[in-house]
Amino acid sequence: MKSVFKFGTLLMYLLFFVSCGGGGGGSGVTTPPADPEPEPIVLPLPSNNPPLQNVLILYDSAGPYGDQGKTNALLLENLLGHFDLNITSKPANAYIANEMVDENITTVFYLGTTFDVLSYYQGDPNGHSSYMNFYHDIATQNKMVVWINYNLDLLETEWDANSNNWGVNTFVDTTGFTNSGTDTNYTRVWYKDTELYKGVIPFATPDANTTACYEESNITYACSLELNTIGIIDDTKATRLATASSTFDLTKSIEPYVTRGGNFWFVGDLPFSYMSEEDRYLAFADLLHDMLGIDHNESHKAIMRLEDVNAETNPSDLIAITEYMQSQNIPFNVATIPQYENPLGEYGYPVGTSIPISESDIGTLLQAYYNERLIDIVQHGFSHQYDSVKNPYNGVTADDFEFMIVTDINNDGNYTYVGPSEDDNGTWAKNRILEGKAILNEVSIQAFAWEAPHYMAGPSHYRAIQEVYPIQYSRLIYYPDETDKSKFIGQFYPYVIRKDTYGYYIIPENIYNIVKDPNQGYRAINAEDIIRFAQKLKVVRDGVASFFYHPYLGTSDLSVIISGLQNEGYTFVRATSLVE
């Protein structure tokens, strides 16, 4: 059976790798008796806290890559879901004069995704006027502003040309820094004495687009080389929070990457491009606390999820993992697949094999462990496969996709994501999850969250299942343009997200899993890699180090990861304790 699956490039500029899979065969192990009358466990539900402030996201939408503005705004809005906020997201050419005051906006984020954006509005007075109103209000209304990537020169020029008429100081006098143009060949960001990638593909997969990237090695490519630079004129006003450097062009000086001058922040590129587990995305996620003025206490928690447990998982594997975790006094989570399906008779099984977990030794074990409060349950789809077809592997539970149709026509690992299963029918998806939930109820276990198989589902799937499980414990994919569901982007989170754009409360997974035998062209990942990912994650003040692990791997690597994270200062907690 497949031990790993990954998917690579989701859009031409954004990578999001996923690994998931496994299963196991065998039974007959003596199982402990289940409590005949378990005490009911009250599952936590996310609270609906009042918003702390109103936030406005403005983005560029002009030019041949105009869609990138909305895409980055979507990723930003999701990440801001870590905080209790009212968020409005719209194109900058739709900004209305005095909107910051009229809508009681406290923080404005601008995503400059189109270079020299005003050049696209020379024949559009309305669009040009919206930008002029936006620039005027930034200069005069003293709101917290976070300017990301391009076009700082346009703001500064307009600000300085009108400073006397507007009754304000010049841009430099206000912020302490000035635009210096753009430069290239920057590959790293330093934050809190930690080296982070700056848009580096750590392992180029068969479908990775490495056009215009710098090859650091035969598998590693730096792909966000450009940096919008500034010159700090008055260091009593401007503060560098993060810096950028080059690993291959030693003529490059160390430059500010994130700078604050009064109520104005500047970020030197798009922190979402080519994000990975070791990327400057982590620095940006941490600095959001300061940009918003909403501090969270320093806290480094860790959680573990045992993956792809189903009716045909080897009971001895589950027992070994549970006994080890119990010896460490660490509760953990079990991603449980309610129904095992093997319709094509793979791995020596009869054609049409179908086994609910409630009729297996695994179901009995899970019931006992659940009642003893050793584990919490995450529903991992219904069957983790689709219909009686190869999708794309073999039709077997824990190998194939369930909510996404995927093909591998040439059998070369270059996958085609056709689109969500059943044309993204939300009712079908919800009923499928409810059927799985009923199977879990047969052994008196309740899942507190769900996880999409291989982290992929359609937007209507996600929204419909959210009515069953308001909590999702996973990475997710999003669709900037839902009229074309063959195009999507992936996002992982360094911390809990209280509300994403689907409406989910999200428990994160962000430091990956052991991959010993990857598909051809993909990377192996060992325990040391996972520990290194967790080390980088510590730059996030309230980051949650979250990994998943397959039961067939035994306890050796698991013990290395557990002790490694504890040595880094992480404390293992119940995932349910993260729901507030």
Side-chain angles (χ1 to χ4, degrees), residues 76-89:
L76 174 58
E77 183 173 355
N78 284 327
L79 193 59
L80 287 169
H82 181 53
F83 308 90
D84 292 308
L85 305 169
N86 277 331
I87 301 173
T88 300
S89 182

Side-chain angles (χ1 to χ4, degrees), residues 10-14 58-76 111-114 149-150 270 272-274 480 487 489:
L10 302 182
L11 282 184
M12 62 184 298
Y13 78 102
L14 176 67
L58 296 175
Y59 55 87
D60 295 333
S61 56
Y65 303 107
D67 60 336
Q68 297 304 300
K70 184 177 181 180
T71 297
N72 280 271
L74 175 61
L75 297 169
L76 174 58
L111 290 156
T113 53
T114 299
N149 205 40
Y150 293 141
L270 294 169
F272 303 106
S273 61
Y274 295 97
K487 296 179 180 179
I489 53 175

Side-chain angles (χ1 to χ4, degrees), residues 391-442:
N391 188 35
Y393 297 122
N394 51 28
V396 178
T397 285
D399 287 354
D400 276 13
F401 288 76
E402 183 168 357
F403 296 101
M404 179 68 69
I405 302 300
V406 183
T407 61
D408 183 9
I409 296 174
N410 298 319
N411 197 31
D412 60 359
N414 197 353
Y415 302 100
T416 298
Y417 303 95
V418 178
S421 307
E422 298 291 323
D423 294 323
D424 196 27
N425 186 311
T427 301
W428 169 82
K430 180 178 179 179
N431 288 339
R432 197 166 176 84
I433 291 298
L434 286 171
E435 186 176 354
K437 187 176 183 181
I439 291 172
L440 298 181
N441 287 340
E442 290 175 5

Side-chain angles (χ1 to χ4, degrees), residues 456-486:
M456 300 183 81
S460 297
H461 296 161
Y462 280 125
R463 293 188 183 103
I465 295 172
Q466 197 267 347
E467 298 173 5
V468 181
Y469 289 114
I471 304 168
Q472 188 157 183
Y473 181 172
S474 67
R475 306 185 185 204
L476 289 87
I477 61 173
Y478 299 90
Y479 300 76
D481 179 4
E482 293 190 16
T483 64
D484 184 357
K485 295 177 184 177
S486 67

Side-chain angles (χ1 to χ4, degrees), residues 55-58 76 80 107-111 146 288 291-292:
V55 168
L56 177 63
I57 300 172
L58 296 175
L76 174 58
L80 287 169
T107 306
V108 180
F109 291 85
Y110 166 69
L111 290 156
V146 182
L288 283 179
M291 294 169 177
L292 295 165

